[in-house]
Amino acid sequence: IGELLNHMPKSVKKYNKLLLVLGVVLFSLVSFSLKNRAYALTQPTKVEIDGEPGKVLTGTLELYNEQEQEITFYLSYQNFEARGEGGSPSFLDYDGTGLASWIKTAQSVTLKPKERIEFPYEIQIPQDMEPGTYLAAIFFGNTPPQAMEGGQVTIGTKLGTLLFLNLPGAKVEGAGVTEFSTEGGNFFSYLPLNLFYRFSNNGALKVMPFGSIDIKCLFGRTVGTLDANISKGNVLPNSVRKFVITWDRLKQDNVNEKEDKTEEVKMEPGQKLSFFDAVKVQIKNFTFGKYTATLNVNYGDNLSATKETSFWVIPWQLLSLVIVALVLIIMIFRGMMKRHNKKLIEKIKKETLNSQQVTIAPTESIVTQEKKVSEKVKKEIKKEVEEVKEAAEDVKEEIEEDLTAINPKE
């Protein structure tokens, strides 16, 4: 192989070296990725506990090694708080305070391939703690925790369980709905669309709002009932959370589980569609007019909030096609009517002319007949006159003969 490489051109040697380097790098990346995967599952992912100051709470978490080899997991703990309006946790550096410092577990645990265990933990609540909700997470990592500058701890790839510890005595304060509206404005061409509300919590307890959003059309008929917190999300202390609810179609009811069995149009709210794709969606899921959504939520101890917003759904793509079709139909109808009227007028003219010809023809024939009759009568009268004259001549001759016979001398 060495002699073969020596006889290769320099360009081929450089190419082979490049491939060798890329192969080593790729192998290293794959090995690093495999090494840094946790290959474990924890159940449950969220635990809510009620406790009292000075008490010790115990519990277990289910830990499963889904890899084909033995793995050791290393434990760490971190407090967390709300990040942004989505309700996602933001984990804080461990500083020896809060719920993270009250958690006691083994420092590590080793699982055999495909092994599933119940991992115990303990929470030692200090005596002088104030009422409220305390938040922390128990993490299982594949590398030992390493201290960094500023007291920060890194543990490589990790997974864990969120803990919500409630200490009694606190009341829900400074909580409520601060805004309720639609995403993307108040005018829409088609469904689905997103409604949202912001819930503020300035107290020490976490709050879980629950309720519904009723959507009514312009005539006051309910066309949709939506769960105001279908994800069962909490609003953490000193935070604001934005809840987004999607209205997919008419007669949607995910509160009373009375879903309409019509075909569901699967698309994202606010998704841009071409003209004819929008028309298809509007035909399958027709909505038109002004709608009013009313938010009713309950929270805490018999507390409630109500908000209302209005919006319009105008399927202009479908309406424009309908208008164009109506204009074409009207134009075609008018053209047909014009042709029909023209034919009708021609028919009437023809019938009128025919009737006039029929009326004139008898008049001409009568005049002709009268002339013929008159001439015939004249001829007969003339003939009779001539016959009378002849008869008179005959009578005259006979009388003369008779007179001669009587007076022969004469």
Side-chain angles (χ1 to χ4, degrees):
I1 296 175
E3 292 181 358
L4 183 61
L5 290 173
N6 291 331
H7 289 85
M8 285 183 178
K10 291 183 178 181
S11 59
V12 176
K13 288 181 180 180
K14 290 182 179 180
Y15 179 73
N16 289 334
K17 288 180 180 180
L18 180 60
L19 288 178
L20 180 61
V21 171
L22 290 175
V24 171
V25 171
L26 181 61
F27 178 78
S28 300
L29 290 174
V30 172
S31 300
F32 179 79
S33 175
L34 293 174
K35 181 180 179 181
N36 283 276
R37 288 184 59 184
Y39 287 104
L41 297 174
T42 58
Q43 293 290 339
T45 58
K46 182 173 68 174
V47 176
E48 295 195 17
I49 311 171
D50 294 326
E52 296 180 4
K55 298 293 184 179
V56 176
L57 307 177
T58 60
T60 59
L61 301 175
E62 184 179 285
L63 186 62
Y64 173 62
N65 177 18
E66 61 179 7
Q67 198 176 8
E68 296 293 343
Q69 63 184 25
E70 184 177 272
I71 298 181
T72 298
F73 295 100
Y74 300 91
L75 277 292
S76 66
Y77 326 101
Q78 286 181 262
N79 296 319
F80 69 88
E81 61 185 10
R83 178 177 60 191
E85 296 182 333
S88 300
S90 176
F91 298 103
L92 308 176
D93 297 337
Y94 183 82
D95 58 2
T97 63
L99 178 55
S101 65
W102 310 342
I103 302 172
K104 308 299 178 184
T105 66
Q107 294 183 352
S108 64
V109 59
T110 301
L111 272 69
K112 297 178 181 179
K114 303 298 181 181
E115 183 179 7
R116 189 186 304 270
I117 67 168
E118 295 290 331
F119 183 78
Y121 66 88
E122 183 178 277
I123 300 176
Q124 299 176 1
I125 307 173
Q127 185 68 42
D128 57 349
M129 296 311 302
E130 296 289 334
T133 301
Y134 295 83
L135 314 170
I138 300 176
F139 287 114
F140 297 85
N142 59 355
T143 58
Q146 297 177 358
M148 298 178 66
E149 293 182 2
Q152 187 176 2
V153 175
T154 179
I155 194 172
T157 303
K158 55 187 177 181
L159 52 86
T161 296
L162 302 180
L163 299 179
F164 297 81
L165 174 61
N166 298 312
L167 299 185
K171 294 182 179 180
V172 176
E173 296 178 347
V177 178
T178 60
E179 183 182 4
F180 177 49
S181 186
T182 53
E183 287 188 338
N186 295 322
F187 291 89
F188 303 89
S189 301
Y190 42 77
L191 298 183
L193 60 84
N194 279 340
L195 296 146
F196 75 92
Y197 67 94
R198 286 184 169 90
F199 195 98
S200 176
N201 179 16
N202 297 323
L205 282 175
K206 69 175 179 63
V207 178
M208 179 188 291
F210 63 93
S212 64
I213 298 175
D214 296 319
I215 303 174
K216 295 184 178 181
C217 66
L218 186 61
F219 303 104
R221 184 170 58 90
T222 300
V223 295
T225 303
L226 312 177
D227 193 328
N229 188 4
I230 196 169
S231 62
K232 309 304 178 187
N234 291 300
V235 184
L236 301 182
N238 300 311
S239 69
V240 176
R241 181 163 183 173
K242 180 181 178 182
F243 293 87
V244 180
I245 303 94
T246 301
W247 184 31
D248 291 314
R249 61 195 178 280
L250 291 176
K251 300 181 181 180
Q252 180 181 354
D253 187 347
N254 56 14
V255 175
N256 303 308
E257 297 182 354
K258 295 179 180 178
E259 292 296 329
D260 186 32
K261 294 183 179 179
T262 56
E263 183 180 355
E264 183 177 355
V265 180
K266 295 182 179 180
M267 57 178 291
E268 293 296 325
Q271 180 178 340
K272 301 298 182 182
L273 298 177
S274 64
F275 182 88
F276 290 103
D277 287 339
V279 170
K280 291 179 182 178
V281 171
Q282 290 162 354
I283 293 174
K284 291 181 180 179
N285 196 7
F286 182 77
T287 47
F288 177 78
K290 182 181 179 181
Y291 296 89
T292 300
T294 303
L295 169 68
N296 295 290
V297 293
N298 301 304
Y299 57 95
D301 297 327
N302 299 322
L303 299 176
S304 62
T306 301
K307 289 280 187 179
E308 188 174 278
T309 187
S310 297
F311 56 92
W312 289 81
V313 180
I314 307 295
W316 64 268
Q317 294 93 338
L318 178 60
L319 292 179
S320 61
L321 280 185
V322 172
I323 292 172
V324 170
L326 288 176
V327 170
L328 289 176
I329 291 173
I330 292 172
M331 291 177 64
I332 294 172
F333 180 75
R334 291 182 65 181
M336 294 175 63
M337 288 299 298
K338 285 183 178 179
R339 287 197 298 269
H340 176 73
N341 292 337
K342 186 176 180 181
K343 290 182 179 179
L344 184 61
I345 291 171
E346 291 177 353
K347 182 178 180 182
I348 292 173
K349 286 182 178 179
K350 187 175 181 180
E351 290 179 352
T352 302
L353 291 174
N354 291 336
S355 64
Q356 290 176 352
Q357 291 175 359
V358 170
T359 303
I360 294 171
T363 303
E364 292 178 351
S365 61
I366 290 171
V367 172
T368 304
Q369 289 178 3
E370 286 178 351
K371 288 181 178 180
K372 290 180 179 180
V373 170
S374 177
E375 290 176 358
K376 186 177 180 181
V377 169
K378 287 180 179 180
K379 287 180 180 181
E380 290 180 355
I381 292 173
K382 185 177 180 180
K383 184 178 179 180
E384 289 178 357
V385 169
E386 290 177 355
E387 289 178 353
V388 169
K389 285 182 177 181
E390 290 178 357
E393 290 290 335
D394 292 339
V395 170
K396 184 179 179 181
E397 290 178 355
E398 289 180 355
I399 292 172
E400 289 178 353
E401 289 177 356
D402 291 337
L403 291 175
T404 305
I406 296 171
N407 298 306
K409 293 180 175 181
E410 296 180 359

